[in-house]
Amino acid sequence: MAIAATLSASATKREQRGTWMSALSGDWPNAKVLSSNVERHKSLCLENLDTIQKSNFNTIYFHARIMCDAMYNSAYEPWSSYVSGTRGLEPPFDPLGFLVENAHARGIEVYAWLNPYRYMNQSKSLGTSWGNNPLNYENSHPDWLIKWDNGSTMWTILNPALEEVKQRIVDVIADILSKYDVDGIVFDDFFYQNGLPMSYDAAQYNAYTAAGGTLSQADWRRENVNDMVRRVNAYIKSTKPWVRFGIGPAGVASGNNLPDVAAAHGVETCPGSDWQYNGIFSDPVQWLEEGSIDFISPQIYWNIGASSNFGAIAPWWHRVVKKFDRHCYVSQSLTSNLDNAASIEEFYNQIQICRTNDEQDASGMVYFCWKNLKNKTKKYNGKKVNLPTYLRYNVFSNKALQPICSWMPATCPGSISNLSRSGRTLTWTGVEGMRYTIYAVPKSLDPANFHKEECYLRGVSYSESYTIPEPDSNYPEYGIADADLDNYNYAVCIYDRYGNEYSAYFAGIAPASASRPTLTTPSNGAVAPPVFNFEWNGNSQMYEIIVARNADLSDIIYRREHAERSIAAADVATFEPGTTYYWAVVGRSNGVADQQSDVAQFTVDTFRILSPSNESSDCADDPTITWNELGSGVEYTLTIATDNAMSKQVYTTTSKSLKADIPAYTLSGNTTYYATVKATVNDREYTTNVSSFKTALMEGHVPVFINPTSDGQTIHSDEMVEVEPQRGITQLKIMIASSTSFSARSSYNGTFTKFETKTPALREIKLGSATLVDGKTYYIRANVSYIGAEGSTVTTEWTEPRSFVYSAEQGAVATVKTIGAHYSAGTIVCNGGDAVTVYTADGLEAANGHADAAGRFDVAQLPKGVYIAKIAGAKKETIKFVKSE
């Protein structure tokens, strides 16, 4: 069915586009395989693969091990009942083998999907045993199993604590890798059974603690899972390192209900509630942090705007994988989410969210399950369409290659020769163990200007030949008509199993002439400034830039291909000061093997706060914060907070210099603060790492009232109760009451935490629910709090009560008493740290604060007019001034 595309998606060449395929969910095989229906099952498989290929998907997660059984010829476990109908009965053909062979014939990757621990989850009414087959663990190794009867279901899992179980999982994977050319291994979200009581593995836990183990039982369970994951990864990397290993956990990890877990991993909390950490003892961020998986496929089984919001959770995962240099291929369930979506465009938007938040050229979506992906429909442009058709027209219009496992070292494996075309068939001589990408480039494009663009990509071959497909009216741009075959030049590239693509070789076109690249910036041994570009010289068509932590470029932090001869360092990595890095550039041109530059080492003078130095102590409460330069004319924004996440901000300022003087009465004593500086250069934002400093101890003292100055003084309605300012405190409390008992229910209780020194105007004060009464006597007292030497809050004694008589009349500006303060050109000049309150001529407060260290208080922002300023410091004075400028 042909439909018209109405949305325009950004093109991407690197993206995993996959589906979860399981016999358990009725995908394929969708019924037991018998001798009488073998061909129907095979035909359905080929039909599925054709749809996947023509829809520009590129990956299948095939359920090879469902419940300690096998959809393949296993040396350890019985054939699955989901393939033959009877557990242990061999089917007429091998589903995994057939799928891998025919998927590879279409350029599609196959990952073997395994449940590592699940043995049985069956209603008790259906029985609680798999039978007498000797390969069933209840017969061969009953001691490996944990059986939990929760009342209605018998849940049975392999015991994750046992060494024999960990080794068996590794052995099962080794068996698969030795027999099948799978491209990946993937687990889903089944680990410990959710809700399994601690008593069920208490014996193993007690043995662990008796041997000196110190983890809690919950942490011990998580470590059992982590250890199994490490072992699987180690085996894969030691035998077939190109096989990707990943896990599809529950969609929320290190959630906002587990801030300490997120902090331990150095990540922000995921926007949702994490049940898996203490439910099935799964800690996905730990696997990423350790590098024991290559990719994560979180089951974000919600739509955008749901209570668990895809639009917030997916970006979080992409930030996490970038931090740990791994990939995120988001899993989405279509069981209900397609039906629940307001429109099919929901899934366009989800892909765009993932692409927008992916900074590694490594986006991906994997849909559960294939049956629903293929068969469920939704209206689009007045027609019912399935999701592959919709995506093919709107998002997956071009084919995509797998994201590169850039952390895995790889060098050019060789070259292609003898490339020729005969009709629809391309043949060549390649390199053993490689795959190949095939391009059809219009002859109108000079091959010298070809950069392996995705719009010309036609397919992937696992062999040294490729058949150019014929057009299919149901799939736009698929295939090439007979009449158009000669309108293209055909190119083939080696495409290794890590996802790296090498130089293009054209049929019938002479190789290009290219020289070895030479590095220019940063040069060998250079100290690069905070803002710089990697630059090099060369005449190749494409370049791969490699940045690593070691000279042999094996500990890679960045490797990606570019057509330009320059890339901003900020697009490569976050560089640490004092660390030596190494870089090189590989030139790639048509028909020419890779040519690598020399390797250069460099360090980076990263954008950072210089003083106070990180984690310094005994700092002044009015420090000068300095940082290094990003360039001339740059405006910097300094932020100071009381938490490492910079969410509890106490001060921010901008500066075009490389420093900021923090004013007194801003920071408390004996307190740890966190600071960052941000700036924008060439439309790119740079931010320093968070730097901390701790202020010196500053003990508070019992406050001193400066209004009223003595008992019985009359205070007017527009005046405030005021105390002398104190540096370094955390809080000021002022109480006003009608008696010296200061009853909490009938008093004013003012708490001030931002170095305020006075209450609101007395006309605004209420004692309980009552305002102040003209001519009545009231009492005040105050205290302050500060951080003591032991790090806890210390509160001073209350002041002795002081009385005042309230006047409902205005009078704050009635008396002018000038000693030494004065007004000059938009500034009140007094003593450093003096408290200044400015009133309009009619008694309304216009400004308040403290003079800076030089004794200057800025009033330039006030409009023209007559003002009264009350100044409280070592001396009290009031000045009147006219602002005419």
Side-chain angles (χ1 to χ4, degrees), residues 704-723:
V704 175
F705 285 111
I706 57 177
N707 194 30
T709 56
S710 59
D711 281 324
Q713 181 179 328
T714 297
I715 305 183
H716 300 85
S717 64
D718 56 344
E719 290 186 89
M720 302 89 167
V721 172
E722 188 171 1
V723 300

Side-chain angles (χ1 to χ4, degrees), residues 135-198:
L135 292 179
N136 288 335
Y137 293 134
E138 61 194 285
N139 303 315
S140 62
H141 298 288
D143 54 315
W144 290 7
L145 300 177
I146 296 177
K147 289 178 174 284
W148 174 41
D149 180 356
N150 76 343
S152 61
T153 301
M154 178 62 76
W155 301 96
T156 308
I157 63 169
L158 294 174
N159 188 337
L162 300 181
E163 286 294 314
E164 298 89 341
V165 166
K166 296 174 185 178
Q167 186 57 47
R168 177 50 54 93
I169 294 169
V170 173
D171 290 341
V172 165
I173 290 168
D175 186 39
I176 292 173
L177 296 186
S178 70
K179 296 173 180 175
Y180 302 93
D181 189 21
V182 295
D183 302 276
I185 298 291
V186 62
F187 298 159
D188 60 20
D189 62 337
F190 283 89
F191 296 101
Y192 278 86
Q193 180 57 47
N194 190 22
L196 179 70
M198 291 296 189

Side-chain angles (χ1 to χ4, degrees), residues 553-610:
L553 305 181
S554 59
D555 188 5
I556 296 168
I557 61 174
Y558 182 89
R559 187 176 77 231
R560 201 170 299 176
E561 207 173 52
H562 301 271
E564 302 80 15
R565 295 195 297 273
S566 175
I567 180 174
D571 288 335
V572 171
T574 300
F575 295 101
E576 296 294 333
T579 300
T580 299
Y581 298 94
Y582 301 83
W583 76 294
V585 171
V586 175
R588 291 184 180 140
S589 296
N590 296 337
V592 180
D594 281 7
Q595 300 183 88
Q596 182 179 303
S597 70
D598 291 334
V599 176
Q601 72 176 56
F602 66 96
T603 56
V604 180
D605 184 18
T606 55
F607 182 38
R608 66 192 189 280
I609 290 175
L610 301 177

Side-chain angles (χ1 to χ4, degrees), residues 35-257:
S35 298
S36 59
N37 63 14
V38 168
E39 295 308 315
R40 181 178 67 81
H41 280 293
K42 289 183 176 180
S43 178
L44 177 59
C45 179
L46 299 180
E47 176 189 314
N48 290 338
L49 293 174
D50 286 341
T51 300
I52 290 168
Q53 178 199 31
K54 292 179 180 181
S55 299
N56 289 338
F57 280 65
N58 56 21
T59 311
I60 297 169
Y61 293 0
F62 179 68
H63 212 169
R65 183 182 190 253
I66 301 172
M67 296 186 189
C68 294
D69 54 6
M71 302 291 291
Y72 61 94
N73 181 22
S74 172
Y76 298 100
E77 295 172 334
W79 282 98
S80 174
S81 58
Y82 293 100
V83 63
S84 63
T86 302
R87 189 175 175 97
L89 179 63
E90 183 176 357
F93 78 102
D94 182 335
L96 179 59
F98 186 80
L99 179 70
V100 170
E101 177 185 354
N102 288 282
H104 284 183
R106 291 160 175 78
I108 300 167
E109 292 199 354
V110 176
Y111 292 14
W113 162 20
L114 291 78
N115 292 107
Y117 301 125
R118 185 171 64 179
Y119 184 77
M120 175 182 287
N121 53 304
Q122 188 153 291
S123 170
K124 291 165 62 178
S125 65
L126 299 176
T128 58
S129 169
W130 283 123
N132 295 323
N133 189 300
L135 292 179
N136 288 335
Y137 293 134
E138 61 194 285
N139 303 315
S140 62
H141 298 288
D143 54 315
W144 290 7
L145 300 177
I146 296 177
K147 289 178 174 284
W148 174 41
D149 180 356
N150 76 343
S152 61
T153 301
M154 178 62 76
W155 301 96
T156 308
I157 63 169
L158 294 174
N159 188 337
L162 300 181
E163 286 294 314
E164 298 89 341
V165 166
K166 296 174 185 178
Q167 186 57 47
R168 177 50 54 93
I169 294 169
V170 173
D171 290 341
V172 165
I173 290 168
D175 186 39
I176 292 173
L177 296 186
S178 70
K179 296 173 180 175
Y180 302 93
D181 189 21
V182 295
D183 302 276
I185 298 291
V186 62
F187 298 159
D188 60 20
D189 62 337
F190 283 89
F191 296 101
Y192 278 86
Q193 180 57 47
N194 190 22
L196 179 70
M198 291 296 189
S199 59
Y200 277 73
D201 55 357
Q204 289 79 32
Y205 178 67
N206 290 338
Y208 159 79
T209 56
T214 59
L215 296 176
S216 69
Q217 191 169 356
D219 286 340
W220 171 78
R221 282 185 172 186
R222 279 183 287 273
E223 177 55 23
N224 290 332
V225 175
N226 296 341
D227 187 42
M228 180 273 292
V229 170
R230 284 186 213 108
R231 295 185 190 202
V232 169
N233 183 64
Y235 178 81
I236 293 172
K237 295 299 183 285
S238 69
T239 53
K240 288 187 172 181
W242 59 86
V243 171
R244 301 182 194 219
F245 175 42
I247 298 179
V252 173
S254 297
N256 52 28
N257 59 320

Side-chain angles (χ1 to χ4, degrees), residues 712-770:
Q713 181 179 328
T714 297
I715 305 183
H716 300 85
S717 64
D718 56 344
E719 290 186 89
M720 302 89 167
V721 172
E722 188 171 1
V723 300
E724 290 182 351
Q726 291 191 51
R727 294 170 64 162
I729 63 173
T730 58
Q731 177 180 281
L732 164 69
K733 292 189 72 172
I734 298 176
M735 295 187 71
I736 304 176
S738 58
S739 73
T740 56
S741 64
F742 292 99
S743 169
R745 296 185 62 182
S746 58
S747 298
Y748 166 79
N749 289 275
T751 300
F752 308 95
T753 59
K754 297 182 179 179
F755 293 94
E756 302 98 325
T757 59
K758 51 184 172 291
T759 66
L762 290 181
R763 61 173 172 262
E764 300 175 17
I765 297 295
K766 289 187 177 181
L767 308 188
S769 59

